[in-house]
Amino acid sequence: MDEQNAVASAPSGNTLPNSAGALFQLFRDGTPRTRSDLTAMTGFARSTISARVEELLNAALIRPAGENSSTGGRPPSTFTVNPEARSVLAVDLGGTHARIAVTDLATRVLSERQQELDITKGPVAVLDAVGRIGLELLQEAGRSPEDLLGVGVGVPGPVEFATGRPMSPPIMPGWDHFDIPGHLRRWFPGPILVDNDVNAMALGEHAVAYPQVANMMFVKVATGIGSGIISDGRLQHGAQGAAGDLGHIATPDGDATPCTCGNSGCLEAVASGPAIAAQLRERGFDVPNHAAMLELVRSGDLEALRTVRQAGRQVGSVLAGCVNLLNPSVIVIGGVVSTAGEHFLAGIREAVYSRSLPLATQHLRIVASQTTARAGVLGASALVTGHGLSVENVNRLIG
Ligand SMILES: [Zn+2]
């Protein structure tokens, strides 16, 4: 197995609970902590804590965060994560565009570029462009490739997460089984992690807007429909990396609309952007694509609003099953169709709350994405920090 993407591989090396890497995890929620805080939280000897803090300071992974005078007398030093210790190259590849950014370890963007980049040009042309742009962005941010904790890449298709290779991606001709980490390693050292775009968006939204939420779903409704599932604080890939593929779940209403996958009545066939546009065309509207459909909705046309609300109900009827299975506390709706406004979200809420069990919806929030178009690139960054700042990897950095 390619070790670059092997986040969930068996632990090796130093993962001891009193190691510097383990202690570093206590800083990752962003709360400044003193040595006494750490002693109280872990129960380890004060001398052990002091030695580990020293190691983390020497590696610049934490830094002094001013004084904490709440205890009276000589104020104890507080420490916090140093987000500038390393940087991350984050890449969000779409069908026709790419967004590429250099971020710090707190997922803050240091330099960023949006660029037309046609995924159908194939992996070599696209990844060579990513390599060139990545180097330019590092320079703009005053960083070098050696500063990188790693590179995160989101792609618009299914990915075998363990190897970082796309698997029969429908809109990415030439990319099937391509070794993305292997190719990007010509430019960048360190781990190169690849995931599908919706999983990346889930991570991005989670890192920026819901870091304390352990159970969250991110649903993207655009040309296709997919979701990223965060359960017990971790992104769920499933056995082959196909978890979260909502688009091809049959809608409970048993609609017979044929789907691109060969089945009929899939959610994507009745509630995606192109599906909504097609329904409006059947009713005589001139909406050649889903951009035109969104414009019609925003103009306030009642028939268009009704159609979008009904599409929302279809999404909600499938999500109701997910709510019963996974019991998330937040469902974030993203993707371009979510920008159709409150009617789409209202349709989703209506179906979820009427079809899910009361206990599962008691504290459930269904909300629009806050990170919107940046979700994918922020998630590509979070993919790298999630992996690179693990107990084992921090111990390796300190090594
Ligand atoms: Zn389908």
Side-chain angles (χ1 to χ4, degrees):
M1 182 162 67
D2 186 325
E3 61 125 7
Q4 295 301 329
N5 239 24
V7 172
S9 62
S12 60
N14 190 356
T15 56
L16 291 172
N18 66 355
S19 64
L23 216 61
F24 179 77
Q25 306 306 315
L26 302 177
F27 289 100
R28 288 192 62 192
D29 66 0
T31 311
R33 305 205 186 276
T34 64
R35 292 184 183 86
S36 307
D37 292 338
L38 298 170
T39 308
M41 290 169 88
T42 61
F44 297 133
R46 224 184 137 70
S47 57
T48 305
I49 295 293
S50 289
R52 299 299 178 243
V53 164
E54 211 54 38
E55 286 174 18
L56 291 169
L57 280 170
N58 288 338
L61 285 163
I62 60 171
R63 65 184 180 192
E67 307 287 281
N68 179 351
S69 55
S70 61
T71 52
R74 183 174 167 270
S77 300
T78 57
F79 304 97
T80 186
V81 171
N82 175 15
E84 283 140 34
R86 292 281 195 289
S87 44
V88 175
L89 181 66
V91 182
D92 177 24
L93 297 178
T96 56
H97 286 77
R99 191 185 279 258
I100 304 173
V102 172
T103 76
D104 66 11
L105 297 183
T107 329
R108 280 191 302 243
V109 173
L110 305 176
S111 58
E112 184 178 26
R113 183 135 1 130
Q114 233 191 317
Q115 170 113 7
E116 269 186 31
L117 197 55
D118 184 354
I119 201 93
T120 64
K121 290 206 184 315
V124 173
V126 169
L127 295 175
D128 284 356
V130 166
R132 281 193 303 275
I133 296 166
L135 291 178
E136 288 168 18
L137 288 172
L138 281 167
Q139 200 172 13
E140 268 174 45
R143 304 299 174 100
S144 74
E146 289 67 41
D147 290 336
L148 286 175
L149 183 70
V151 180
V153 185
V155 300
V159 172
E160 185 182 64
F161 188 66
T163 61
R165 292 170 190 256
M167 290 289 146
S168 311
I171 66 161
M172 299 170 69
W175 290 77
D176 191 21
H177 283 78
F178 189 85
D179 182 7
I180 296 175
H183 196 80
L184 283 178
R185 219 166 282 138
R186 297 171 186 198
W187 281 272
F188 309 110
I192 295 167
L193 302 153
V194 186
D195 208 335
N196 80 55
D197 56 350
V198 189
N199 281 344
M201 291 166 95
L203 284 176
E205 186 81 18
H206 185 256
V208 173
Y210 304 99
Q212 312 298 340
V213 170
N215 297 286
M216 186 192 110
M217 275 187 83
F218 184 98
V219 181
K220 178 190 178 189
V221 186
T223 307
I225 299 178
S227 75
I229 300 164
I230 290 171
S231 191
D232 205 13
R234 290 175 64 95
L235 185 69
Q236 303 298 318
H237 287 100
Q240 260 74 45
D245 197 351
L246 280 190
H248 301 285
I249 295 179
T251 51
D253 298 347
D255 192 297
T257 312
C259 179
T260 51
C261 74
N263 286 322
S264 59
C266 294
L267 182 60
E268 199 165 292
V270 298
S272 64
I276 300 170
Q279 289 156 22
L280 285 168
R281 280 198 298 276
E282 276 170 26
R283 284 164 212 163
F285 289 94
D286 177 27
V287 281
N289 49 44
H290 67 269
M293 177 275 288
L294 287 170
E295 217 166 288
L296 183 68
V297 171
R298 289 189 196 117
S299 77
D301 181 275
L302 285 180
E303 186 68 21
L305 290 176
R306 262 196 292 273
T307 308
V308 158
R309 192 174 180 116
Q310 179 56 23
R313 287 190 195 104
Q314 302 271 22
V315 173
S317 64
V318 168
L319 281 178
C322 302
V323 166
N324 287 346
L325 274 178
L326 300 168
N327 190 200
S329 51
V330 178
I331 296 179
V332 180
I333 311 293
V336 70
V337 175
S338 73
T339 64
E342 274 303 309
H343 285 264
F344 187 63
L345 231 61
I348 294 177
R349 290 192 184 111
E350 195 186 312
V352 169
Y353 289 117
S354 65
R355 290 182 190 229
S356 301
L357 295 170
L359 183 61
T361 54
Q362 199 176 7
H363 300 293
L364 174 66
R365 284 181 289 161
I366 300 174
V367 293
S369 168
Q370 292 178 31
T371 54
T372 59
R374 256 187 170 176
V377 80
L378 297 174
S381 171
L383 186 64
V384 173
T385 50
H387 167 72
L389 298 178
S390 66
V391 176
E392 191 181 0
N393 284 321
V394 167
N395 285 332
R396 199 175 289 150
L397 289 175
I398 287 172

